[in-house]
Each structure stands twice: as C-alpha cells, then as structure tokens.
Amino acid sequence: MRTVRILLTLLVSAFSTLTVQAQSQPANPAAAPFTVPPQMSAAQQENFSPQLLTELEAIKAAALADDYAYRQVAHLTENIGPRPSGSAQAEAAVQYVASELQRLGLEVGLEEVKVPHWVRGVETAELTEYPGQAAGTTQKIVLTALSSSTATPADGIKADVVVVNNFDELKSLGRDKVAGRIVLFNEIFDKQKAAGGMAFVAYGEAVRYRAGGPKAAADLGAMAALVRSVGSADFRLPHTGYSAPAGIPAGAVTAEDADLIAHLAEQGRVRMHLTLTPQKLPDVISHNVIADLKGIENPEQVVVLSGHLDSWDLGTGAIDDAAGVAIAMEAAEILGRLHLRPKRTIRIIAWMDEETGGSGSQTYTKEHSGEFPRHVAAIESDAGAAHPLGFDIRMSNAAADLIRPVLTVLQSFGANAAENRPYPPGADIAAMSESTVPALGIMQDGRTYFHYHHSAADTLDKIVPEELRENAAAMAVMGYALASMKNPLPR
Ligand SMILES: [Zn+2]
C-alpha cells in the first residue's frame, strides 16, 4: 500500500513538473527536477505565507527530533498505569496532564465530568460438560468481562452454551432455545481486511456483537452473553470493551476459546461454569483537561487538538490512548520551545471517559456548543501510535482543498493522505463534527492496532518512538497551520 502511494506521488510530481515546463520553460526534460512542489492555488497562497510555511517546517523538524511525547506516554502508562473512568489512576492522570500543561504556560482548566465507575472482579470459566470429555476433567476458558457486565453469584452460574454467528441466527433460535442459556456470539474478526489497510472496517463489523450482543441475548431471556474477542491477533488474549447495558453477565472469550466452544457445540451439549464478579460503584466526578494556548489575533477562534486520557484496565492504555494525549501535549511543548504563538487559540483537550460512554465529550458539548461556530477545527488522535499516513477528515471540499499545503509539508514522512469521510473521524469530536466544525483524525497505519486494542498487551513497548514522533509532527504541524493560516477554514 505504501509503495503504491509513493508511486502515485512520484507520478503526480512528474506530471506537475511537465505542466510547469510546458507553460514556462522548454528546457531539457532530462534535467527536470523530480520534486517541483505542487503549485498553490490563489486561496492557498493567500492563507499560507512563506513565513508560515517556514514555521511549519521548523515545527516538523522539532517534532521529528524530540522524545517529549514518548516521555509523556511512559509516565501515563508506567508511572500512573491503567486509567479506567472513575479510577484513582484516571484522576492522577488528570492532575498530571493539567500540571504539565500549566508548566508549559497554557491556561488550564478542569471541566467536571460525571463518569461511571465499574471495577473488574473475578473472571473465570470452564466447560464442565462437552462431547468426548474425559471423566473428572474440565476445560479452561479464557475470558474477560465487558463494560456493562453484571455479576454472577460469587460461586458462578452453570448453564448450557448456545453458539450463534450473527443476530439473525439468534433471532431464529427464539426465546425457547435461548432462555436460561449462555449465548456465545462467534463473529470472526476479518483479519484480511485489517492486513489490507481496512482495520477499522473489520472492527466495525465485529464490534456490533460486543456492543449489542448482550442486550439482544438478554431480550430473549439469556442467563449470560459472551462474544468472541474483537481483535486481529490470536495469542489467547481476551479483548474487553464497551457493551450496552443488558442486565446480565457479559464477557469476551479469546478467539481460540470461541473456536473451541463452537467446535464442541457442533458435536453436542456444552455446559459452562461462568464466574464474573465486576461491581458497578456510584458515579464519580472526574474531569476533561482543557488547556489553551491563546491566539494572539483571534483568541475567540479555537482549534482543538485532542486524545482521550481514560483507558481500559487490562493493559496500561498506551496505544489507546495515552499516545493521542501525549502528541497533543507535544504540540504545545514545541510551540513554546520555538516561541511560536498561533493567531487563533490552540486548545489541548485530554478527554475523560471515551471508553465507557463518552461523558467527557458530552459534557464539553453541553458546556461549549454555543462556541462551536467559532471552533475552527478539531483534531483527535485515537487510532494508535503507528506510522501516520495522513488524516481522516470530515469537512467541505473547499476546506479540504485549502489544507493541501500542510499535507505537502508532511509528505516527507508520508503523512500526506487526506480522506474525506461521511462520518466523524473521532468519537470525542463527533458532536463538533456533526455541528459542521471541520474535523480531522490522524490516520495511523492500523494493521497491528487491533492485535493489542483493549487487551492486556496495550503497553508502552507497542509504541515505536520514531512513529510516535511522526504522529506528534502531524498533530503539531496541522494544528498550528489551522490556527495560523490567514482565514479560518470554511465550513
Ligand atoms: Zn480509544
């Protein structure tokens, strides 16, 4: 995929070279430079002065040579640790990010957010009856609870397992064959899509069962619901995540265990002993961290740079999403170090509670929607920390055309793609996007993201420092450009 893009880029460069020559200089084509920059339109020239383009190059160079973001991810993941909503670690992360951004000279505020507080308990399962069972044995099943899981009794429940591949199969079984049983949704993550660069499409297809499966099973009287883990690598690791409240115990089994159960269920009766003892505690007051680097000409116009601070509890939330918060922080650090002040306000936001309901972004929308007409753009990074290919964008064609000179700056390390999407390119900036604020999500290489996503393996070692620097460069260059180009992006 990368090779194809490079070839295309070369072809485009070659074409513009030829066009330029045809218009102005009938010189020897063999001596033609291969890297004539694409010509800027009048609107692009008006918005991007030579000085601004020089500043963008300086920001890029600083980001590509710096490890500030990596140190932030290390602190958030190793010193603070997992940061599930409502936890002491999530609040410690709020305090840390706020004090760090204050130290960098930003105006920092904490916005109160009421978040759910759910804590994991015991999570074990074994098959107690199945075809071919050796007398006196059981088979261990590896699983983890989902966000809305209720608890079984401390000594668990025992029930027959019924396996379905999709919602239609569940429906056709009907209440008779579902009530009192444990339903397993065995939707298989499409690894070929992920390997082919469509990881988020594969995720979207599979995650429907994690999100809605428990509720669909509960509606037919199921005693508990399990889903096959939504992930692209099989190391017998369960992947947790959000599921809509269903009022029954709900978990994700590993892909290997889903296969095992499905194979045995094809042969006959399968019975499971399942123990999940999570607790839903009272809601907690937590915070979005909101830090402004005030614009010197139009401080009322705001460009949001963001990631989410909360994480799942199984790993330490490195790729999801300490990385996003850290690269947004690095933008502020670099601008301070280079003594660059944007025309408009750059607002760093570390969102709370993206994972278990989005109360952070909901609160921000409630408090700030009156200012959305003056929110010039919003960027979120929440697709990992791997090499950035460019941006998923959602904006008018005129706006998309206007940011091309920024993409040209990012082209030297391949972060120059811009794909206009029909959906918001980030969960926390979705409401802004729906109210026509131009929205951008950094488009990371997603081929390995779902190997680790929401699992115990989402840890610091999964982040390649050089790739994180590229992400920091993409965030800082785009953020400063949007905040400093002559006119705000058109809607
Ligand atoms: Zn995330």
Side-chain angles (χ1 to χ4, degrees):
M1 191 175 164
R2 183 107 196 261
T3 316
V4 170
R5 196 183 61 242
I6 290 165
L7 283 174
L8 280 173
T9 307
L10 289 175
L11 283 171
V12 170
S13 308
F15 180 73
S16 24
T17 307
L18 291 173
T19 312
V20 169
Q21 284 170 352
Q23 286 165 352
S24 54
Q25 42 167 169
N28 173 10
F34 216 48
T35 54
V36 174
Q39 279 192 316
M40 290 207 284
S41 68
Q44 289 166 347
Q45 280 182 31
E46 187 197 355
N47 275 284
F48 293 93
S49 66
Q51 186 191 330
L52 176 54
L53 291 172
T54 304
E55 289 169 354
L56 296 180
E57 289 289 349
I59 292 167
K60 177 180 76 173
L64 292 176
D66 189 59
D67 68 348
Y68 178 84
Y70 190 83
R71 283 185 277 120
Q72 304 318 307
V73 178
H75 188 86
L76 288 170
T77 57
E78 295 198 326
N79 298 87
I80 294 177
R83 303 168 303 284
S85 286
S87 67
Q89 294 102 316
E91 203 48 32
V94 163
Q95 298 300 333
Y96 172 74
V97 170
S99 67
E100 184 62 21
L101 289 170
Q102 214 151 29
R103 189 184 68 76
L104 294 174
L106 279 70
E107 287 177 30
V108 181
L110 297 184
E111 182 170 68
E112 284 196 2
V113 179
K114 198 170 165 193
V115 300
H117 190 199
W118 176 91
V119 292
R120 196 172 293 286
V122 171
E123 34 197 31
T124 61
E126 61 265 334
L127 302 184
T128 55
E129 285 182 50
Y130 47 91
Q133 179 183 26
T137 66
T138 60
Q139 290 232 49
K140 180 185 166 84
I141 296 297
V142 180
L143 85 172
T144 193
L146 298 175
S147 74
S148 68
S149 178
T150 61
T152 64
D155 58 354
I157 56 171
K158 282 184 180 162
D160 287 359
V161 182
V162 53
V163 180
V164 297
N165 292 303
N166 52 53
F167 288 120
D168 288 340
E169 283 185 28
L170 178 76
K171 223 180 195 170
S172 66
L173 283 177
R175 179 170 281 271
D176 267 7
K177 292 182 178 145
V178 171
R181 294 186 170 80
I182 298 171
V183 173
L184 169 63
F185 291 92
N186 191 31
E187 164 75 17
I188 297 174
F189 187 98
D190 188 338
K191 290 180 193 163
Q192 278 182 300
K193 275 207 183 74
M198 297 173 70
F200 281 83
V201 174
Y203 180 68
E205 289 170 359
V207 82
R208 293 180 296 146
Y209 293 90
R210 190 193 77 206
K215 177 75 168 66
D219 287 347
L220 292 176
M223 189 180 264
L226 302 173
V227 298
R228 182 185 180 106
S229 281
V230 182
S232 53
D234 301 332
F235 296 107
R236 215 176 178 189
L237 275 180
H239 298 241
T240 189
Y242 176 82
S243 65
I248 57 173
V253 303
T254 67
E256 293 87 339
D257 290 286
D259 281 343
L260 172 73
I261 296 166
H263 295 160
L264 293 176
E266 278 168 16
Q267 299 164 29
R269 184 181 183 205
V270 173
R271 202 166 166 76
M272 178 184 280
H273 176 208
L274 171 67
T275 308
L276 296 172
T277 61
Q279 292 177 70
K280 175 127 180 58
L281 303 175
D283 289 352
V284 168
I285 296 298
S286 186
H287 305 90
N288 290 325
V289 182
I290 301 178
D292 284 355
L293 181 60
K294 287 281 183 210
I296 44 176
E297 285 181 32
N298 304 97
E300 77 291 354
Q301 296 176 5
V302 171
V303 173
V304 170
L305 311 189
S306 66
H308 70 83
L309 198 47
D310 64 304
S311 77
W312 280 105
D313 57 333
L314 296 175
T316 56
I319 60 172
D320 189 13
D321 181 27
V325 172
I327 63 173
M329 292 170 76
E330 170 141 11
E333 196 273 341
I334 288 171
L335 296 182
R337 187 148 43 88
L338 299 183
H339 304 291
L340 291 174
R341 285 299 290 266
K343 267 172 67 130
R344 306 181 182 86
T345 294
I346 287 182
R347 174 169 293 173
I348 311 294
I349 304 183
W351 302 103
M352 184 47 63
D353 192 37
E354 189 276 336
E355 297 291 4
T356 49
S359 54
S361 64
Q362 285 160 20
T363 301
Y364 186 83
T365 300
K366 209 168 115 211
E367 300 292 324
H368 300 272
S369 59
E371 304 157 29
F372 283 180
R374 293 178 301 284
H375 276 38
V376 169
I379 310 180
E380 179 163 25
S381 174
D382 186 20
H387 168 70
L389 305 160
F391 295 85
D392 292 303
I393 61 175
R394 193 184 190 207
M395 59 182 70
S396 65
N397 288 337
D401 191 54
L402 217 44
I403 62 171
R404 300 224 160 269
V406 190
L407 299 172
T408 302
V409 173
L410 301 176
Q411 187 170 349
S412 62
F413 62 95
N416 59 323
E419 296 285 334
N420 221 332
R421 306 291 189 189
Y423 49 82
D428 296 297
I429 59 172
M432 282 183 253
S433 177
E434 295 297 357
S435 74
T436 73
V437 176
L440 304 91
I442 300 185
M443 184 201 293
Q444 281 92 0
D445 178 341
R447 286 176 298 175
T448 63
Y449 183 59
F450 293 102
H451 291 10
Y452 314 118
H453 178 257
H454 294 191
S455 82
D458 178 0
T459 44
L460 180 64
D461 56 297
K462 304 309 181 304
I463 293 184
V464 177
E466 186 192 346
E467 294 178 344
L468 189 69
R469 288 195 284 267
E470 293 173 344
N471 279 293
M475 176 78 89
V477 168
M478 183 59 81
Y480 186 76
L482 295 169
S484 298
M485 54 197 283
K486 182 156 186 294
N487 305 309
L489 271 188
R491 293 289 163 108

